[in-house]
């Protein structure tokens, strides 16, 4: 226990709003697995973030447990990582309130995700959607996380977390560690298979543009066979001119560890059809063990409960230390 305190800390999370996508797997979770030996790692199921968009309550509960099974199946060992459900650690929401008094209205209005989501949910632009980055800052700062492994789209939220932390520190002294986003070189921005100019996202499950990590091999292959490609016939990475093929190259590289240039030369002279099949097969093989293990784990609800209970207890202990410090700094009377 004591020894762990000298390690740097990592925190990340994913909203349980659907089955994990190939995007969140390659952009986030796959990269978390290797970090466990060198860092003290906290991974949450961001259920409180999920409700900024309307959720069916029974579905949200089911998806949260499913996502927990998927975290473990993807290789996150609950003995080596603290895995917890965000709403089980009330200190996040408590710190979020304090931080909201040090976050500026103007800076929140500049958040790209807020702009996108409020355009998509025009009938429900709730205050939670607006203050979402403050809760995310609390998630990160309450563990004094050094690194935040995320995909490219979350970079801006980590930057605003630093700004809020810096503002607080400049008033009260060194309370918070300034975190850094840790974005993978390949897989940081997996694009839709149908609209390669947009990121692959859970909301796109019906269009065939999204692959989820629980999809059956035949469904994955069908989606890759139908993936949108570009004019021309060359298999070459060029995100601007050839967004479809470049996305597939990126996916193949993230699944196999092969460099873009190696992929380009392997497929030189071959057609798009063959290439799409090869990418589909690599994805099937990458996801197969995860899906099989997740299905097994989901059948064992008692085990999953032990994991999240234990995770919540560990996370609460650590989070309370920082929350008490913050309450003292701002001048609340200790109980
Ligand atoms: P969320 O749930 O939208 O996505 C979870 C993680 O997956 C990454 N990701 C992708 N990476 C590459 N290509 C894609 N197509 C793709 N789609 C998603 C995201 O960048 C993210 O890393 N606000 C966060 C959840 C969160 C969080 C936190 C993260 C809440 N609190 C604290 C880190 C630290 C979110 O909505 O992620």
């Amino acid at each position: 226990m004591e020894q762990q305190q000298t390690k740097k800390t990592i925190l990340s999370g994913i909203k349980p709003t659907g089955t994990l996508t190939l995007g969140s797997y390659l952009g986030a979770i796959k990269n978390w697995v290797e970090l466990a030996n060198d860092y003290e790692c906290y991974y949450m199921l961001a259920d409180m973030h999920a409700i900024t968009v309307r959720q069916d309550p029974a579905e949200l509960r089911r998806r949260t447990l499913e996502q927990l099974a998927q975290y473990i199946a993807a290789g996150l060992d609950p003995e080596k990582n603290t895995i917890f459900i965000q709403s089980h650690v009330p200190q996040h929401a408590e710190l979020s309130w304090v931080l909201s008094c040090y976050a500026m209205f103007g800076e929140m209005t500049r958040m790209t995700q807020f702009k996108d989501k409020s355009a998509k949910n025009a009938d429900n632009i709730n205050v939670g959607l607006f203050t979402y980055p403050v809760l995310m800052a609390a998630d990160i700062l309450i563990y004094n996380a050094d690194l935040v492994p995320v995909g490219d789209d979350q970079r801006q939220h980590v930057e605003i977390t630093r700004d809020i932390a810096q503002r607080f520190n400049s008033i009260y002294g060194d309370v918070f560690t300034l975190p850094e986003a840790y974005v993978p070189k390949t897989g940081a921005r997996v694009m839709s298979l149908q609209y390669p100019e947009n990121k692959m996202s859970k909301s796109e499950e019906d269009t065939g543009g999204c692959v989820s990590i629980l999809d059956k091999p035949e469904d994955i292959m069908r989606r890759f066979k139908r993936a949108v490609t570009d004019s021309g016939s060359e298999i070459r990475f060029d995100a601007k001119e050839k967004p479809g093929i470049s996305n597939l190259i990126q996916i193949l590289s993230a699944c196999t560890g092969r460099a873009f240039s190696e992929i380009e030369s392997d497929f030189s002279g071959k057609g798009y059809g063959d290439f799409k099949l090869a990418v589909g097969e690599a994805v099937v093989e990458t996801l197969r063990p995860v899906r099989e293990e997740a299905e097994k784990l989901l059948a064992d609800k008692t085990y999953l409960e032990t994991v999240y209970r234990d995770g919540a207890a560990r996370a609460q202990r650590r989070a309370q230390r920082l929350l008490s410090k913050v309450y003292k700094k701002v001048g609340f009377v200790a109980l």
Side-chain angles (χ1 to χ4, degrees):
M1 254 312 170
E2 281 311 305
Q3 197 191 358
Q4 282 183 351
Q5 297 309 313
T6 58
K7 286 184 180 174
K8 288 196 167 187
T9 301
I10 286 208
L11 174 287
S12 198
I14 300 182
K15 297 190 299 295
T17 44
T19 311
L20 287 177
T21 68
L22 181 65
S24 45
Y25 178 69
L26 296 178
I29 196 164
K30 181 168 175 282
N31 309 297
W32 300 353
V33 175
E34 296 133 34
L35 300 167
N37 292 329
D38 302 322
Y39 296 88
E40 184 173 352
C41 298
Y42 293 84
Y43 296 115
M44 58 173 199
L45 298 120
D47 56 348
M48 294 172 75
H49 279 93
I51 63 162
T52 52
V53 173
R54 287 275 180 274
Q55 303 293 330
D56 176 81
E59 277 278 282
L60 180 60
R61 243 186 303 277
R62 183 178 63 77
R63 289 193 149 142
T64 305
L65 290 181
E66 252 180 38
Q67 189 169 300
L68 175 62
Q70 291 163 35
Y71 273 13
I72 304 167
L76 282 188
D77 178 350
E79 301 284 322
K80 291 192 187 162
N81 301 277
T82 301
I83 306 176
F84 64 98
I85 299 174
Q86 187 182 24
S87 61
H88 289 173
V89 185
Q91 289 86 351
H92 291 226
E94 294 176 271
L95 180 63
S96 177
W97 173 255
V98 175
L99 294 181
S100 70
C101 302
Y102 299 83
M104 297 300 141
F105 183 85
E107 62 191 358
M108 289 297 136
T109 58
R110 289 195 289 275
M111 294 293 106
T112 317
Q113 191 171 53
F114 171 68
K115 289 188 217 163
D116 287 354
K117 290 218 165 163
S118 46
K120 277 193 198 140
N121 302 284
D123 55 343
N124 182 22
I125 307 178
N126 59 74
V127 177
L129 199 58
F130 185 66
T131 57
Y132 178 118
V134 183
L135 179 58
M136 184 157 157
D139 299 334
I140 297 168
L141 297 177
I142 203 146
Y143 301 100
N144 263 340
D146 299 276
L147 284 186
V148 184
V150 282
D152 202 39
D153 62 312
Q154 295 298 319
R155 215 186 259 279
Q156 196 185 29
H157 289 158
V158 179
E159 274 159 21
I160 204 166
T161 300
R162 286 174 69 91
D163 294 342
I164 297 171
Q166 229 154 4
R167 189 172 297 130
F168 194 93
N169 284 354
S170 71
I171 307 171
Y172 302 104
D174 271 348
V175 177
F176 295 125
T177 302
L178 300 186
E180 269 176 51
Y182 182 69
V183 179
K185 284 205 180 72
T186 48
R189 190 167 272 270
V190 178
M191 309 309 271
S192 157
L193 300 182
Q194 287 301 317
Y195 305 96
E197 56 291 340
N198 299 334
K199 85 165 185 171
M200 180 181 281
S201 87
K202 299 164 204 178
S203 57
E204 231 212 333
E205 247 149 341
D206 302 335
T207 66
C210 175
V211 168
S212 107
I213 72 170
L214 296 187
D215 282 343
K216 299 267 181 296
E218 54 274 25
D219 294 329
I220 298 178
M221 289 308 294
R222 190 159 17 86
R223 286 181 189 186
F224 277 95
K225 278 185 202 155
R226 289 193 192 148
V228 165
T229 45
D230 317 288
S231 57
S233 60
E234 218 187 333
I235 292 159
R236 173 172 56 84
F237 189 88
D238 181 339
K240 255 212 178 101
E241 296 295 319
K242 293 170 131 331
I245 288 295
S246 300
N247 187 36
L248 295 176
I249 293 178
Q250 190 200 187
I251 293 173
L252 186 58
S253 168
C255 287
T256 60
R258 277 147 72 199
F260 291 6
S261 56
E262 220 178 304
I263 294 173
E264 286 170 346
S265 63
D266 283 357
F267 285 91
S268 117
K270 299 215 173 100
Y272 283 171
D274 286 348
F275 181 55
K276 290 202 276 187
L277 278 183
V279 183
E281 279 160 12
V283 170
V284 166
E285 289 320 312
T286 302
L287 297 183
R288 187 192 303 281
V290 182
R291 176 172 52 86
E292 288 174 356
E293 185 61 22
E295 280 165 5
K296 263 191 240 154
L297 287 164
L298 259 179
D300 192 351
K301 295 279 182 314
T302 318
Y303 171 67
L304 293 179
E305 193 179 323
T306 318
V307 170
Y308 69 66
R309 277 182 184 279
D310 186 45
R314 267 148 57 188
Q316 281 184 19
R317 263 200 306 278
R318 168 94 183 235
Q320 188 54 45
R321 288 214 304 264
L322 202 92
L323 186 68
S324 302
K325 187 168 177 188
V326 167
Y327 274 16
K328 194 168 168 197
K329 290 280 182 189
V330 299
F332 294 166
V333 173
L335 181 65

